[in-house]
Amino acid sequence: MIGIALMGAGRMARVHAKAIGAAGGRLVIVYDVVEAAAKSLASDNNASVARNVDEALQHPDVDAVLVVTSSDTHVDLILRAVKAGKAVMCEKPLAPNLPDAQRCIDVLGDQASKVLLAFNRRFDSGHAA
């Protein structure tokens, strides 16, 4: 079973938390700058709460990281997670602007294959219309 660190505890993080269990994964730890939100989401999912990003990334049961934070934090969290040896799925967008997105791609280099950028409505005909 894959252990997941969830970065973010807002509305979309709650959706992802349910999906983790439904897909056969295990939500191990939750981090959010709003500690009360992290505690609530972690409690609802039998997970721990990280006091900071490093604690979440260094948890021994974490295999992958799901980034569901504000867009301006995505690049930093992706780079830190990959540097920690984790696979990463990140909610869209990669970054709030093209220079930050390009910097992320450039820094990742060969490790870009460890990152999946989620765009769950890409093939949804209703959304496309």
Side-chain angles (χ1 to χ4, degrees), residues 48-125:
S48 299
V49 175
R51 292 169 294 187
N52 56 57
V53 172
D54 290 329
E55 183 179 346
L57 295 177
Q58 294 170 7
H59 192 289
D61 295 334
V62 169
D63 304 301
V65 176
L66 180 49
V67 178
V68 191
T69 55
S70 61
S71 299
D72 62 324
T73 66
H74 289 180
V75 170
D76 179 55
L77 291 172
I78 289 168
L79 294 175
R80 290 173 72 177
V82 169
K83 184 176 181 181
K86 310 301 181 187
V88 181
M89 185 178 122
C90 181
E91 266 292 342
K92 64 184 184 323
L94 173 60
N97 58 59
L98 185 57
D100 285 344
Q102 189 62 56
R103 178 177 67 84
C104 185
I105 292 165
D106 292 344
V107 171
L108 285 172
D110 293 345
Q111 294 183 313
S113 63
K114 293 185 175 193
V115 179
L116 170 70
L117 188 64
F119 185 38
N120 61 338
R121 308 277 318 260
R122 181 176 181 186
F123 300 107
D124 181 333
S125 60

